Amino acid sequence: MKRLVPLVAALLLCAGSARAADPAVAAPDAPAEKPEPVVEVLTVEDEGARIDELRVRGEPQRVTVRTKGPLKSHYEIAVPRRGGNGAVAGQRVWHVLSF
C-alpha cells in the first residue's frame, strides 16, 4: 500500500503535466482566433470596359477599370476610406509611369 501511493502520485503528476502541455486544454479561457476576412473579387464586363472590384468584409478596397478598343488603358476609382474625409472618393486615379 505504501508503494502504491507514490506510484499514483507520480502518475497524476505525469498526467497533469501532459495535460498542461496540450494547448487546447491548457488555456480554455483563451479567445478563439479571429476568422479570416471575407474577400470578394467582382468583375463586370461589356464591349467597352471591364471593371474589377475588390471587397474585404463587404467594403470596397479597390475598383479598377480597364477600357477596351484602340486605346487600351486602365485607371482606378478612389474609394472612400474609413476615417478619411472622402474628398477624392469617386475620382479617377491614373497611374502614369507605372511599370
Side-chain angles (χ1 to χ4, degrees):
M1 183 72 164
K2 288 184 179 183
R3 295 178 93 191
L4 187 60
V5 172
L7 181 61
V8 171
L11 286 173
L12 288 175
L13 251 171
C14 289
S17 64
R19 187 171 186 210
D22 186 14
V25 177
D29 298 331
E33 291 185 25
K34 292 183 180 179
E36 292 292 321
V38 178
V39 177
E40 299 174 291
V41 178
L42 305 173
T43 302
V44 178
E45 188 171 0
D46 65 3
E47 64 273 353
R50 175 182 172 157
I51 302 170
D52 295 318
E53 181 178 357
L54 173 68
R55 290 185 183 181
V56 178
R57 294 184 184 99
E59 295 184 21
Q61 300 295 316
R62 173 178 284 184
V63 177
T64 305
V65 178
R66 298 182 189 278
T67 60
K68 296 180 180 179
L71 296 174
K72 294 182 181 181
S73 62
H74 70 279
Y75 59 91
E76 290 186 23
I77 298 176
V79 294
R81 299 285 179 197
R82 188 179 292 183
N85 62 1
V88 295
Q91 299 290 321
R92 287 183 220 133
V93 180
W94 296 86
H95 294 282
V96 182
L97 299 177
S98 61
F99 297 97

